[in-house]
Amino acid sequence: MTASPAERGLRESATFDRATIAGIRHAADTGVYDIRGWGAKRAVPHFDDLLFLGASMSRYPLEGYRERCDTDVVLGDRHATYPLHLDTPVTIAGMSFGALSGQAKEALGRGASEVGTSTTTGDGGMTTEERGQSATLVYQYLPSRYGMNPTDLRKADAIEVVLGQGAKPGGGGMLLGQKISDRVAGMRTLPAGIDQRSACRHPDWTGPDDLAIKILELREITDWEKPVYVKVGATRTYYDVKLAVAAGADVVVVDGMQGGTAATQEVFIEHVGIPTLAAIPQAVAALQELGLHRHGVQLIVSGGIRTGADVAKAMALGADAVAIGTAALIALGDNDPRYTAEYEAIGSAAGYYDDFQDGRDPAGITTQDPQLAARLDPVLAGKRLANYLRVLTMEAQTIARACGKSHVRHLEPEDLVALTIEAAAMARVPLAGTDWIPGRKHA
């Protein structure tokens, strides 16, 4: 048996590891950059670097079987006649029909509705499956304007003006020709089978003053009934949140660099934007300075939410709600081990499949192939998503009770400590066992 490289005394480079070498070879062989889906795969400070301080003597916990811990949230009550009333603070992020199959969009609507939360259209417009199965649907208004029309705006329960996405702030998404079916092309008013690249900025404004005009226009179209969200990719978060609020946003959505995408350049995914953990305190500081945090303007955080602990930590740092995308797809059945052989056949593996742009997803989720899409039962997939959303909500409740809170929104930074200096500095909470917050001046 041949000895392994390590057994032969060979040492892998931390700078030029095997994935990096493979990337260089691919670029040299093809002359093109890598495109993929999912989100950042590099390790950055995240919610796992925070811990809760449960109650014992100085704080009293709540008894889970006798004392309530509520999870409801109201979004968009600043200007809208009909703000959203959700039973859980976990919402479904925008993912387009085109990137996802019609069955997947229907399943997202079914799962979200079953637990009393919202789902979001994504680029490319509103489908009848999604609107028909979503009790609460947020309509994304994107730079591409694909599928946008005033009738669908009025059918929605809220409007989300997208200025950026965590996986690609400053850039637009891609939908390759193999996923541009006749139906997708018809909704986007573009040719079938031809690559589509979304614009990186809106065509009819160049700054925040113009955004204020656009938000007013959207309010007039919908008779001031619908909440208007503004979504930004996490970069200069403090300033972006202040400008979004000044432009009239009811809700601000901040998407960290761990947020997923159907497809964009890998160099974008891994090297542009800041971690979700670093973005939340900046957004909260902006809202606090405006006197609108926790009342007036709500903050939704997305990018790497996986567990109820992540939900609780985001809310303790100041979010009013969170949004999930990648995790929701996994709950539907994405990267399922039962398709291991088929993932291997297309050059990937279950748990590693991120070539969402290729449209060959064996699970029938990130595809427009009718035969593959038919594999996904939207009723069963919707129930799986509902189960997952319930677990996230119950886990967040469990942590809130352990901290003595009667509502998950009562969690606060005082309930948290950090395990690393980097996480302490980003989240602005003390390093565990100390009262030291790196970068903060002590009186």
Side-chain angles (χ1 to χ4, degrees):
M1 181 181 292
T2 305
S4 70
E7 290 171 332
R8 288 182 284 145
L10 301 177
R11 182 180 175 188
E12 185 172 347
S13 169
T15 304
F16 290 90
D17 60 11
R18 277 168 286 183
T20 301
I21 292 172
I24 293 171
R25 291 187 180 280
H26 174 74
D29 290 341
T30 65
V32 299
Y33 50 70
D34 259 353
I35 296 171
R36 67 169 175 86
W38 210 285
K41 296 186 177 182
R42 64 190 301 176
V44 296
H46 197 41
F47 295 117
D48 287 343
D49 296 313
L50 302 180
L51 295 173
F52 278 101
L53 299 175
S56 53
M57 178 63 77
S58 57
R59 301 288 190 277
Y60 285 103
L62 297 186
E63 176 52 66
Y65 294 98
R66 294 186 290 112
E67 295 176 288
R68 287 178 56 180
C69 179
D70 294 327
T71 62
D72 61 302
V73 61
V74 177
L75 300 174
D77 58 354
R78 184 185 185 196
H79 296 299
T81 306
Y82 301 115
L84 306 188
H85 294 259
L86 307 180
D87 294 333
T88 173
V90 186
T91 69
I92 306 300
M95 294 177 280
S96 75
F97 170 67
L100 305 187
S101 65
Q103 288 88 333
K105 292 298 286 180
E106 179 182 342
L108 292 173
R110 287 179 179 274
S113 298
E114 189 170 325
V115 299
T117 193
S118 64
T119 188
T120 311
T121 60
D123 207 354
M126 180 187 293
T127 66
T128 53
E129 299 98 322
E130 187 173 33
R131 177 65 279 187
Q133 298 300 331
S134 299
T136 304
L137 181 61
V138 181
Y139 187 95
Q140 280 196 331
Y141 187 83
L142 292 107
S144 70
R145 299 291 198 273
Y146 290 154
M148 199 288 293
N149 66 75
T151 300
D152 286 345
L153 280 175
R154 295 187 183 102
K155 289 179 183 177
D157 300 291
I159 300 166
E160 182 172 293
V161 181
V162 179
L163 304 184
Q165 188 177 335
K168 52 196 177 195
M174 302 177 184
L175 193 62
L176 301 191
Q178 56 264 42
K179 296 181 77 173
I180 311 299
S181 65
D182 289 339
R183 184 183 179 194
V184 172
M187 289 179 63
R188 300 182 182 221
T189 321
L190 289 170
I194 304 297
D195 293 354
Q196 297 178 11
R197 294 174 180 254
S198 297
C200 65
R201 67 185 191 192
H202 287 261
D204 50 357
W205 77 74
T206 57
D209 291 340
D210 294 335
L211 173 59
I213 297 170
K214 177 58 65 175
I215 289 177
L216 182 60
E217 176 186 312
L218 293 172
R219 293 196 191 283
E220 290 176 347
I221 290 172
T222 58
D223 295 326
W224 289 75
E225 293 180 347
K226 322 290 185 182
V228 176
Y229 300 11
V230 172
K231 179 177 181 178
V232 297
T235 53
R236 297 173 176 85
T237 309
Y238 171 83
Y239 300 104
D240 289 343
V241 170
K242 281 202 163 183
L243 289 170
V245 173
D250 298 303
V251 177
V252 178
V253 183
V254 175
D255 193 24
M257 68 173 287
Q258 296 97 314
T261 181
T264 195
Q265 299 99 316
E266 185 171 39
V267 70
F268 243 125
I269 296 172
E270 298 288 358
H271 299 285
V272 182
I274 65 174
T276 306
L277 195 65
I280 302 174
Q282 294 185 29
V284 170
L287 293 174
Q288 287 175 335
E289 289 184 19
L290 295 169
L292 294 170
H293 183 238
R294 292 298 194 211
H295 61 86
V297 174
Q298 286 79 45
L299 173 65
I300 298 177
V301 169
S302 56
I305 303 293
R306 308 151 300 172
T307 67
D310 292 345
V311 175
K313 290 171 185 177
M315 299 187 74
L317 290 174
D320 295 283
V322 302
I324 61 170
T326 302
L329 299 187
I330 294 170
L332 295 184
D334 187 42
N335 273 273
D336 195 304
R338 65 180 167 155
Y339 297 118
T340 293
E342 293 182 66
Y343 283 122
E344 296 285 349
I346 58 176
S348 189
Y352 294 84
Y353 180 67
D354 58 16
D355 292 325
F356 301 150
Q357 74 279 359
D358 286 350
R360 298 186 292 167
D361 183 4
I365 295 171
T366 60
T367 183
Q368 295 302 313
D369 183 307
Q371 291 183 321
L372 293 176
R375 293 181 174 185
L376 186 72
D377 183 331
V379 176
L380 294 179
K383 289 187 179 299
R384 288 178 56 85
L385 175 61
N387 285 340
Y388 174 59
L389 291 169
R390 289 190 186 99
V391 170
L392 293 185
T393 305
M394 289 188 291
E395 287 179 337
Q397 275 181 308
T398 298
I399 288 174
R401 284 194 178 99
C403 294
K405 311 293 183 174
S406 61
H407 198 295
V408 291
R409 289 181 71 226
H410 296 165
L411 290 164
E412 55 190 331
E414 186 186 67
D415 297 315
L416 293 170
V417 293
L419 287 172
T420 67
I421 293 174
E422 291 85 356
M426 289 183 183
R428 303 180 189 178
V429 300
L431 190 65
T434 78
D435 62 356
W436 178 45
I437 301 177
R440 178 167 295 179
K441 295 180 180 179
H442 290 273

